[in-house]
């Protein structure tokens, strides 16, 4: 009881331990470590090309610091340095008009809209499938194997087919890309919701039975509330998968807009800085979307009285 | 061709014509098929419970008390014999909402406030808002939980949670209450208090109560009829009709009549045990 108050935990610790005690500390340390590794890797990977350049220009005895500085400032490096990516992102977001074809915000919004559409359809589909599977043995037995095997097909193989088939029947624009997001995002939602809808404790199911509750009543009053935390967790996975789907969906069409199109164009012209900035923006987008669902989860669980 | 038992039953029925038979169990057995082979949870159970009875099932753990109560509630199906509740099958009785069931654990829904938990069966029954509010208030009052309507289960102590679950069962306003060790996890003082409240409620309303316990004083204090069960296979060892007055308080536990009954229960439990060894 008392020994927790005897030694104050903050007095005799090293500054490093103090740094690691919050959440900001560890995150900062990890970010710094990643940046350091990135800079070193950039220098190492870009050195051969840089030395070719010196040779061609007849420069000899270049100082080491000069070499390093030059590897971090190439126009088309094998691996761009972090600050080059940051500058590129700055130039293509803040400095560009949103309507410009070179604006990353413009491209992001294209990808975002098919991500959200696909996610919405995928989540709805996932919930409906789960409800069917939980309530019907026949659906459980007949659908589940197909749902699982659907995810063993590599998305890169199936994406062009989906796009081509949908184009052939006259569906174009946002929807074909969104279909690929749907294809990737319905799965985690289905699996998570099946688990969630089946998770009520036996005693709670028995209670419903003693009330002679109908299946519909048991669903709304017991299964669904139980499944809510599962739903949010699987929606986070589904959202990230949706974004991947939307980007992948932009590759085979030779799309001219979207983050996927930026990646494609970047690799055509060896614009590695452009590729990396599109990648980083995609990662930021995914992180923000998942964080948004996390906030919705907190609010929902608090309103349900389940966040203590 | 009437057997002796049937004639006795008939006489019994004739004598008590004015009393309604609530539960009638006849040669009932229940065997669970498990991976380790069959478990004979109940074997050849004969039991009659009349309206207004307070019946306790007592016995060592694993003797089938919970299983028997669950059979009455249509939560388990017997493998042999017959049972009627209010003259119909347990399933029909359940569909008629003949009983309220109190589980060993409070089994409150964590996302519902206490009042909303009590409202759960009422919502399922499709009662009007006003009727729901009325029953919630009345039954929360009855179990001394007035003022805790807006709290969530995790904000309440174990005893209060169990009282909420009793209020939830009472709100259905059933004539038959099935209670599985409802006070098993509570401390002595709270348990005494709730026993007294339960007895008052029973005396006031002429409900029929079937009550599972493993406490001898609790069984003797509450019951008009004590059913002693013994295990492997689960069966009835003794049925003790209590002659204690219906109107009793905790002091009765010091009386010689009380101790006599308690003694007989203890003997039954002991004999049921040694039968095995
Ligand atoms: N669903 C079940 N499946 C298999 N065996 C069970 C099941 N429920 C209870 N039993 C067994 O039946 C016997 C009686 O159990 P129970 O009625 O819970 O006893 P009690 O309530 O008197 O402690 C025990 O041996 C128990 O293991
Ligand atoms: Mg039990």
């Amino acid at each position: 009881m008392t020994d927790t108050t005897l030694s104050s935990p903050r007095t005799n610790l090293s500054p490093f331990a103090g740094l690691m005690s919050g959440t900001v500390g560890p995150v900062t340390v990890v970010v710094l470590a990643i940046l350091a590794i990135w800079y070193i890797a950039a220098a190492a990977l870009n050195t051969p090309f840089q030395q070719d350049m010196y040779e061609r220009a007849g420069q000899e005895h270049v100082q080491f610091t000069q070499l390093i500085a030059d590897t971090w400032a190439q126009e088309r490096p094998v691996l761009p340095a972090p600050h080059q990516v940051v500058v590129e992102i700055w130039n293509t977001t803040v400095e560009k008009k949103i309507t410009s074809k070179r604006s990353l915000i413009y491209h992001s919004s294209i990808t975002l809209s098919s991500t959200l559409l696909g996610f919405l359809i995928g989540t709805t589909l996932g919930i409906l499938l789960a409800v069917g599977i939980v309530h019907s043995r026949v659906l459980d037995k007949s659908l589940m194997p197909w749902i699982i095997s659907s995810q063993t097909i590599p998305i890169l193989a199936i994406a062009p087919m989906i796009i081509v088939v949908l184009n052939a029947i006259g569906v174009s624009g946002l929807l074909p890309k969104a279909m690929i997001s749907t294809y990737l995002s319905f799965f985690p939602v289905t699996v998570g919701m099946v688990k969630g809808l089946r998770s009520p404790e036996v005693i709670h199911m028995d209670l419903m039975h003693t009330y002679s509750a109908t299946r519909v009543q048991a669903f709304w009053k017991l299964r669904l509330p139980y499944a809510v935390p599962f739903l949010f967790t699987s929606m986070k996975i589904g959202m990230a998968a949706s974004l991947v789907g939307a980007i992948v969906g932009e590759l085979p069409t030779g799309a001219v807009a979207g983050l996927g199109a930026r990646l494609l164009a970047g690799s055509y012209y060896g614009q590695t800085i452009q590729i990396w900035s599109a990648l980083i923006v995609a990662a930021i987008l995914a992180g923000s979307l998942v964080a948004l669902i996390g906030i919705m989860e907190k609010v929902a669980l608090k309103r349900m009285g389940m966040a203590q | 061709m009437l057997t002796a038992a049937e004639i006795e039953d008939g006489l019994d029925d004739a004598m008590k014509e004015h009393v309604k038979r609530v539960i009638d169990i006849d040669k009932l057995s229940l065997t669970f098929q498990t991976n380790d082979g069959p478990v004979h949870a109940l074997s050849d159970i004969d039991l009659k419970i009349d309206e207004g009875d307070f019946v306790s099932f007592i016995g060592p753990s694993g003797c089938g008390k919970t299983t028997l109560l669950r059979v009455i509630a249509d939560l388990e199906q017997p493998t042999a014999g017959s049972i009627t509740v209010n003259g119909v099958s347990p399933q029909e009785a359940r569909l008629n909402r003949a009983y309220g069931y109190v589980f060993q654990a409070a089994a409150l829904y964590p996302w519902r406030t206490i009042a909303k938990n009590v409202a759960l069966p009422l919502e399922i029954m499709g009662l009007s808002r006003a009727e729901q509010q009325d029953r919630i208030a009345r039954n929360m009052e009855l179990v001394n939980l007035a003022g805790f309507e807006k709290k969530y289960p995790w904000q309440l102590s174990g005893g209060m949670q169990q009282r909420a679950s009793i209020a939830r069962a009472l709100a259905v306003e059933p004539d038959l209450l099935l209670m599985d060790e409802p006070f098993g996890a509570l401390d002595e003082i709270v348990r005494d208090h709730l026993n007294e409240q339960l007895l008052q409620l029973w005396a006031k309303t002429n409900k029929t109560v079937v009550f599972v316990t493993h406490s001898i004083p609790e069984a003797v204090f509450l019951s008009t009829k004590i059913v002693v069960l013994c295990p492997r296979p689960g069966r009835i060892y003794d049925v003790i009709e209590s002659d204690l007055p219906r109107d009793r308080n905790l002091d009765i536990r010091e009386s010689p009549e009380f101790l006599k009954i308690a003694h007989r229960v203890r003997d039954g439990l002991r004999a049921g045990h040694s039968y095995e060894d």
Side-chain angles (χ1 to χ4, degrees):
Chain A
M1 282 283 154
T2 46
D3 49 9
T4 49
T5 51
L6 283 180
S7 65
S8 163
R10 297 213 166 264
T11 46
N12 49 5
L13 292 176
S14 71
F16 185 70
L19 183 66
M20 295 303 279
S21 63
T23 47
V24 180
V27 168
T28 313
V29 169
V30 169
V31 167
L32 288 177
I34 290 174
L35 285 177
I37 293 168
W38 190 342
Y39 270 110
I40 293 166
L45 288 168
N46 299 336
T47 296
F49 178 74
Q50 194 61 47
Q51 273 166 343
D52 277 359
M53 295 272 284
Y54 292 149
E55 227 164 89
R56 237 172 282 166
Q59 281 178 280
E60 279 169 47
H61 309 298
V62 182
Q63 285 217 320
F64 181 68
T65 48
Q66 180 64 42
L67 171 68
I68 296 297
D70 286 343
T71 59
W72 289 344
Q74 292 175 359
E75 204 182 320
R76 292 175 186 185
V78 177
L79 177 62
H83 68 265
Q84 292 178 290
V85 177
V86 171
V87 169
E88 167 76 7
I89 292 176
W90 178 268
N91 287 340
T92 50
T93 53
V94 182
E95 302 275 303
K96 279 272 178 317
K97 274 214 228 90
I98 290 180
T99 48
S100 159
K101 290 277 180 282
R102 294 205 55 205
S103 163
L104 262 185
I105 294 183
Y106 163 75
H107 290 288
S108 297
S109 67
I110 301 276
T111 304
L112 181 65
S113 47
S114 66
T115 300
L116 291 181
L117 181 62
F119 172 77
L120 221 65
I121 302 173
T123 303
T124 312
L125 180 67
I127 292 174
L128 291 179
L129 282 172
V131 171
I133 285 168
V134 166
H135 285 93
S136 154
R137 280 186 81 89
V138 177
L139 286 183
D140 187 10
K141 289 265 178 301
S142 58
L143 282 181
M144 218 47 194
W146 288 104
I147 290 170
I148 289 166
S149 54
S150 78
Q151 301 300 304
T152 62
I153 305 167
I155 187 64
L156 275 174
I158 204 167
M161 295 198 294
I162 293 178
I163 305 254
V164 167
V165 167
L166 284 178
N167 272 328
I169 59 171
V171 182
S172 59
L174 208 57
L175 208 54
K177 284 197 291 171
M179 280 299 124
I180 293 165
S181 293
T182 301
Y183 182 85
L184 287 184
S185 63
F186 88 95
F187 181 72
V189 175
T190 308
V191 173
M193 278 302 276
V194 166
K195 187 143 194 280
L197 292 172
R198 283 188 178 149
S199 69
E201 288 171 48
V202 176
I203 196 170
H204 285 158
M205 295 298 284
D206 280 349
L207 194 65
M208 280 295 175
H209 190 72
T210 67
Y211 298 149
S212 302
T214 62
R215 273 147 78 96
V216 175
Q217 286 172 326
F219 176 80
W220 287 109
K221 295 193 188 298
L222 179 60
R223 288 188 189 272
L224 195 61
Y226 248 100
V228 166
F230 291 82
L231 176 62
F232 279 108
T233 305
S234 48
M235 282 200 319
K236 286 181 196 166
I237 303 168
M239 182 62 99
S242 261
L243 184 65
V244 171
I247 290 174
V248 168
E250 285 163 355
L251 299 180
T253 47
V256 289
L259 289 174
R262 285 293 279 183
L263 289 175
L264 208 58
S267 65
Y268 269 147
Y269 304 111
Q271 299 282 6
T272 46
I273 299 180
Q274 180 184 324
I275 295 176
W276 276 88
S277 46
L279 279 179
I280 298 289
V281 167
I284 291 170
L285 203 58
S288 318
L289 290 171
V290 170
L292 197 69
I293 296 175
I295 292 168
M296 285 162 57
E297 178 180 25
K298 275 229 174 71
V299 172
L301 292 187
K302 201 172 175 79
R303 289 197 55 174
M304 287 173 76
M306 296 211 285
Q308 303 187 5
Chain B
M1 288 290 156
L2 292 174
T3 64
E6 275 167 337
I7 291 168
E8 204 182 326
D9 267 8
L11 282 176
D12 227 29
D13 287 346
M15 266 155 42
K16 292 187 173 177
E17 215 166 7
H18 55 290
V19 182
K20 200 178 126 205
R21 171 113 331 145
V22 178
I23 295 170
D24 198 332
I25 300 176
D26 196 30
K27 296 194 184 58
L28 183 140
S29 297
L30 194 159
T31 305
F32 289 110
Q33 299 300 339
T34 70
N35 293 333
D36 307 329
V39 175
H40 301 284
L42 295 173
S43 161
D44 211 19
I45 304 283
D46 281 308
L47 185 65
K48 301 188 185 345
I49 296 174
D50 291 329
E51 186 171 38
D53 277 352
F54 198 122
V55 179
S56 286
F57 296 166
I58 190 166
S61 90
C63 69
K65 306 182 293 291
T66 297
T67 306
L68 186 51
L69 203 65
R70 287 173 64 87
V71 169
I72 297 170
D74 189 40
L75 288 167
E76 304 285 358
Q77 304 307 317
T79 40
S82 68
I83 170 171
T84 60
V85 178
N86 291 337
V88 295
S89 71
Q91 185 189 8
E92 218 170 309
R94 171 175 63 80
L95 291 171
N96 295 338
R97 304 207 160 94
Y99 67 81
Y101 197 106
V102 180
F103 290 87
Q104 203 165 344
L108 300 171
Y109 288 6
W111 58 87
R112 281 176 173 253
T113 61
I114 298 303
K116 278 280 177 195
N117 265 290
V118 177
L120 178 70
L122 311 179
E123 290 170 13
I124 289 171
M125 291 161 74
L127 298 184
S128 72
R129 279 270 143 163
E131 177 71 19
Q132 286 184 28
Q133 289 309 322
D134 184 48
R135 289 197 189 188
I136 293 167
R138 216 161 354 109
N139 289 289
M140 300 255 317
E141 187 82 43
L142 202 66
V143 297
N144 265 334
L145 275 181
F148 292 91
E149 286 81 359
K150 293 216 159 61
K151 293 270 187 271
Y152 283 96
W154 57 269
Q155 295 173 305
L156 266 57
S157 70
M160 292 164 100
Q161 289 183 20
Q162 193 55 287
R163 266 144 62 195
S165 89
I166 292 169
R168 182 179 57 187
L170 292 176
V172 178
E173 298 189 349
D175 292 329
L176 173 61
L177 260 182
L178 307 175
M179 307 177 91
D180 189 359
E181 299 193 38
F183 311 137
L186 309 183
D187 63 61
E188 202 73 18
I189 307 290
V190 177
R191 176 191 275 232
D192 280 353
H193 176 68
L194 290 179
N195 277 341
E196 253 185 331
Q197 280 185 316
L198 179 60
L199 211 51
Q200 277 169 20
L201 176 80
W202 167 72
K204 250 192 311 206
T205 55
N206 198 39
K207 285 185 195 304
T208 311
V209 183
V210 185
F211 189 94
V212 173
T213 179
H214 55 237
S215 154
I216 296 174
E218 189 171 62
V220 179
F221 175 62
L222 292 172
S223 316
T224 57
K225 187 196 282 227
I226 301 162
V227 179
V228 182
L229 292 131
C230 59
R232 284 174 301 260
R235 62 205 186 280
I236 294 179
Y237 181 82
D238 194 6
V239 178
I240 303 161
E241 301 282 347
S242 166
D243 44 14
L244 297 178
R246 282 177 85 94
D247 187 18
R248 35 186 118 153
N249 60 41
L250 286 168
D251 297 332
I252 205 170
R253 292 188 297 190
E254 315 297 332
S255 73
E257 294 83 2
F258 184 98
L259 295 174
K260 210 181 93 195
I261 298 171
H263 197 79
R264 188 168 155 196
V265 175
R266 179 165 293 114
D267 280 350
L269 288 174
R270 220 176 260 153
H273 245 321
S274 59
Y275 189 87
E276 180 65 20
D277 304 327

